[in-house]
Each structure stands twice: as C-alpha cells, then as structure tokens.
Amino acid sequence: DTEVTQTPKHLVMGMTNKKSLKCEQHMGHRAMYWYKQKAKKPPELMFVYSYEKLSINESVPSRFSPECPNSSLLNLHLHALQPEDSALYLCASSLLTGTNQPQHFGDGTRLSIL
Amino acid sequence: QKEVEQNSGPLSVPEGAIASLNCTYSDRGSQSFFWYRQYSGKSPELIMFIYSNGDKEDGRFTAQLNKASQYVSLLIRDSQPSDSATYLCAVSGESGGGADGLTFGKGTHLIIQP
C-alpha cells in the first residue's frame, strides 16, 4: 500500500464511454503527476501539476483531460478513448516543485478499452 | 530529448551475492537520479535517490553517481530472492525532481537465484 491512493484499481470501458480516474494524497505534497505505462515498457509522463496548476502537458491527446480541484486531489477525465490507450495509469506526488524531491507512486489504475 | 539507457537483462545473480545495475543518461543538465523497483503487475517503488557525485548507502543498497561520465549505478548487497524485480533508473532535469517529471530507462530485469 502507498500513501498515494488511486481509484478505481481496474476499469473496463467502451470507446464511447466517459469515465474518470482519481488520485488522492494527504502528505501535503504540492506537485502531482500522471504517467502512462504500457506492458513491459517504462512509465511515460503525461501531465504535471504544480500548486494545483497545470505546468507540463506532454502533448497528450485531448481525450485525456486532467483536473486538480485542490492540493490533495488529482483527476484524469477520459472520453472517446482508443484500444491503444489500454495501460496502467500511475499517479505520483512530490513534496515541492523545482527542488530535488523524489516522486512517490500510487498503485495505479489498470485501464482496458474495449 | 533526454535518453536514459539500461541493459534490459535479465541479470541473474546468486543469492547472497552483489547485484550491480547500471544506467547512463544523455542530458548533461540532469540533476536528480532515482532508482525504482517494480514487481510484475505493481507500481514503481522508490529505492534510492542521489544528487551528488559519489556514493550513497541505505541498508543493502548503494547508489553511485558520476556526472562526468553521465553514469549512475545501483548495488544490492546480500541479494535476496525478494529482490527479483525490474529496476528502473529515472532522471529529472535542471529544476530538480519536482516539476519536470521523470524520464525512465526501460528497466533491468533482475533475477536472484536461490
């Protein structure tokens, strides 16, 4: 178990569905991240939030829409996904931005697109 | 574009021996270096981080950094079967481990033989 909590753990959705992934941390971290990890590949950065503001978008398709409602919560809204979007979606957080703070990962949401 | 290179393995080490994992990186401006352990089907778990040239020890783990050679390594002493996992080397940029996100190597699959 980690101090970064992701829900749901598993999600199966059709290409026309709308769903959301949720990430929560109560460690007072002010930077939060979304990564995507395909099988047998390393995690790839998608988005970075710094003090609740989007600071990095790694050219992610608009069918992925991040949201950071407060300093503890990070959402990833999904709409019209493609089968190739099936992957493990990892949320991470770090204490501060712009400093050498390690990132701590949640357990991930395993997403399958039918 | 930052690149992080690791030998994918598998690296097979007898129980009780020292496992040596290596990583090179392309961006000379990189400041922070992290080792994560990932068991199959699980999320990455932070093992070590290092920012300065030299060695950093934590229990059975030692991280080594040589910025001139753009090389970072992880030594695992007294290897145990539970150390069998994929070890991911990750690097972040000039602003540190916070806002930049991490660039991962492809990981080294380590097998500890009982």
Side-chain angles (χ1 to χ4, degrees):
Chain A
D1 288 344
T2 68
E3 295 182 75
V4 178
T5 303
Q6 291 187 243
T7 55
K9 293 191 183 303
H10 301 275
L11 178 61
V12 179
M13 58 187 287
M15 289 189 285
T16 58
N17 292 155
K18 286 185 181 181
K19 297 286 185 183
S20 297
L21 309 185
K22 179 180 174 180
C23 175
E24 197 163 4
Q25 57 85 17
H26 296 288
M27 297 180 283
H29 289 182
R30 301 311 300 272
M32 297 185 76
Y33 313 79
W34 282 114
Y35 289 83
K36 172 183 177 180
Q37 187 175 25
K38 302 279 282 183
K40 300 193 184 302
K41 300 289 186 182
E44 294 180 346
L45 182 67
M46 300 175 72
F47 302 104
V48 180
Y49 272 82
S50 173
Y51 294 91
E52 297 90 70
K53 294 194 185 314
L54 182 65
S55 62
I56 294 178
N57 176 340
E58 291 286 344
S59 302
V60 179
S62 60
R63 57 186 185 268
F64 295 92
S65 176
E67 178 196 20
C68 189
N70 59 58
S71 61
S72 299
L73 189 57
L74 184 66
N75 298 320
L76 186 62
H77 304 297
L78 314 173
H79 173 56
L81 295 194
Q82 304 298 307
E84 61 265 28
D85 297 322
S86 297
L88 179 67
Y89 287 83
L90 294 162
C91 174
S93 70
S94 64
L95 181 60
L96 295 171
T97 61
T99 59
N100 295 338
Q101 297 293 327
Q103 297 179 25
H104 300 272
F105 286 84
D107 289 337
T109 293
R110 194 162 299 280
L111 177 65
S112 298
I113 306 300
L114 300 178
Chain B
Q1 171 135 1
K2 298 175 193 173
E3 292 185 355
V4 180
E5 299 289 338
Q6 294 180 257
N7 188 324
S8 62
L11 174 64
S12 187
V13 173
E15 183 176 357
I18 295 174
S20 178
L21 304 164
N22 304 315
C23 171
T24 59
Y25 58 95
S26 64
D27 185 354
R28 194 168 284 278
S30 300
Q31 293 289 319
S32 308
F33 307 88
F34 305 87
W35 283 100
Y36 286 84
R37 177 175 65 196
Q38 187 170 27
Y39 293 113
S40 179
K42 301 295 186 182
S43 65
E45 174 191 7
L46 181 69
I47 298 296
M48 292 283 291
F49 55 92
I50 187 166
Y51 309 133
S52 303
N53 278 329
D55 295 0
K56 179 181 178 183
E57 186 175 322
D58 184 2
R60 295 187 298 114
F61 299 96
T62 299
Q64 299 174 317
L65 175 62
N66 184 327
K67 288 188 177 180
S69 300
Q70 295 177 238
Y71 175 91
V72 58
S73 65
L74 179 70
L75 301 178
I76 306 175
R77 289 181 298 281
D78 187 23
S79 298
Q80 302 296 310
S82 58
D83 294 327
S84 299
T86 295
Y87 287 80
L88 297 163
C89 174
V91 173
S92 68
E94 294 179 353
S95 62
D100 272 359
L102 297 172
T103 300
F104 285 88
K106 292 183 178 179
T108 297
H109 182 43
L110 175 66
I111 299 172
I112 306 301
Q113 295 178 321

